[in-house]
Amino acid sequence: MLNTIIVDDEEFARSSLYFLLQENCPDVHITGIAKSVAEARNLLTQNDIDLIFLDIAMPGENGFELIPQAQLNHAQVIFTTAYDQYALKAIKANALDYLLKPIDIEELITAVEKAAKLISLSKQENNRNESLQNLASSLAERTEIRKISLPNGQGYKLISVDDIIHIEADSNYSIFYLSNQETITVSKVLKEYEEILPDHQFVRIHKSSIVNLNYLKEYNSRNGTEVVLKNGEKIAVSRRRASDFAEKVRSYTNNSDK
């Protein structure tokens, strides 16, 4: 049996993965479930853990920050992530794996089988530290995402970042406005998406707004600085962000002309 923990800040993600493992991976024993890296550290301290299903994007500490503890415990890591990133290839290059949400059953089974083989090998050799260090280094240099999975209460909606026109904050929620005129509301704050979306393409122009420069039609300062998007939407640019926004537009325009 593989003593396993699930680490994810989203309740739906935790419960759905737990169910999938119970139904399809009989060699996996769920030792504990954590909502944060801090809770996961406690589980690793108190238990002999073989395998960690680890979300990457979590408030506070992200999944990468658990890797040193995983090293100490000689635990294998399968990343679970809503973000399709090129650098995730680095995980496979280091003989680990990742699962893109929503999790596919066949991919889950394959990942667990791979992890079981690696765990058996690591127990014999006890030399996975170097691979984990390479993984952490590779992921620290991860490139920009091109797809994103948005939790919608019943599951996930996978979209291309190029289809996002702008994102609006609504208290602790973020509302995505898409090129097909669809809107999606997710229970995550705007700052989380500001940090992971390509910063040369997406700009925070106000405390409550991020815009995709691909959809910028014009901007002016007639009534205070505002942008006009290709869908006709007009959005104010805050005074303290105006200079950074103008610089991002210049850089974006110069790169587009090349």
Side-chain angles (χ1 to χ4, degrees):
M1 296 294 288
L2 302 177
N3 291 330
T4 302
I5 62 172
I6 296 171
V7 186
D8 200 306
D9 64 309
E10 295 179 1
E11 181 177 357
F12 175 84
R14 295 192 301 270
S15 59
S16 61
L17 178 55
Y18 178 89
F19 174 81
L20 289 175
L21 289 169
Q22 292 286 90
E23 291 294 313
N24 301 283
C25 302
D27 292 332
V28 170
H29 173 256
I30 307 298
T31 304
I33 298 177
K35 299 189 293 290
S36 65
V37 168
E39 290 185 11
R41 286 199 186 96
N42 289 335
L43 289 174
L44 288 171
T45 300
Q46 298 167 12
N47 301 278
D48 183 15
I49 300 301
D50 300 308
L51 178 61
I52 305 170
F53 285 91
L54 180 59
D55 187 25
I56 294 176
M58 293 183 285
E61 297 176 280
N62 64 39
F64 303 139
E65 295 175 82
L66 189 62
I67 288 180
Q69 188 70 39
Q71 288 181 263
L72 292 174
N73 288 67
H74 307 295
Q76 298 297 331
V77 175
I78 295 176
F79 281 97
T80 59
T81 175
Y83 309 126
D84 182 18
Q85 299 165 243
Y86 297 124
L88 289 171
K89 295 176 183 177
I91 301 175
K92 291 187 175 181
N94 286 275
L96 298 176
D97 214 327
Y98 80 100
L99 299 171
L100 182 65
K101 300 172 183 175
I103 292 173
D104 178 84
I105 294 175
E106 293 303 318
E107 291 180 357
L108 174 63
I109 293 171
T110 299
V112 169
E113 290 174 349
K114 181 191 293 187
K117 292 177 182 178
L118 290 172
I119 289 165
S120 176
L121 181 63
S122 67
K123 286 184 176 179
Q124 296 173 34
E125 300 178 355
N126 196 25
N127 68 349
R128 297 299 299 164
N129 285 358
E130 183 178 352
S131 290
L132 284 168
Q133 289 169 350
N134 290 339
L135 170 65
S137 176
S138 297
L139 289 174
E141 299 171 358
R142 64 194 187 281
T143 55
E144 66 187 41
I145 66 169
R146 300 314 310 166
K147 291 184 179 179
I148 188 170
S149 287
L150 302 178
N152 60 14
Q154 291 75 42
Y156 295 88
K157 177 85 170 182
L158 183 64
I159 63 171
S160 167
V161 298
D162 290 331
D163 291 333
I164 302 169
I165 298 177
H166 70 103
I167 314 170
E168 178 183 305
D170 183 5
S171 185
N172 291 325
Y173 293 83
S174 296
I175 305 171
F176 285 72
Y177 293 82
L178 306 181
S179 59
N180 63 359
Q181 299 185 333
E182 181 181 5
T183 61
I184 300 175
T185 302
V186 298
S187 57
K188 287 182 178 291
V189 296
L190 200 62
K191 182 173 177 58
E192 180 166 330
Y193 295 106
E194 178 186 14
E195 291 175 349
I196 62 98
L197 287 169
D199 61 3
H200 66 87
Q201 181 179 350
F202 290 85
V203 183
R204 183 85 172 258
I205 62 171
H206 191 276
K207 66 179 181 180
S208 59
S209 299
I210 293 175
V211 299
N212 183 347
L213 293 179
N214 285 348
Y215 293 93
L216 180 64
K217 182 178 180 180
E218 64 178 272
Y219 69 99
N220 59 67
S221 55
R222 286 192 293 270
N223 299 307
T225 305
E226 70 174 10
V227 301
V228 180
L229 302 178
K230 291 179 181 178
N231 64 351
E233 191 94 20
K234 296 180 180 179
I235 304 175
V237 180
S238 68
R239 183 176 301 175
R240 74 183 187 89
R241 297 180 186 272
S243 176
D244 179 62
F245 168 69
E247 180 59 35
K248 287 283 181 69
V249 172
R250 281 193 292 270
S251 177
Y252 176 80
T253 303
N254 291 337
N255 289 332
S256 298
D257 291 339
K258 291 181 181 179

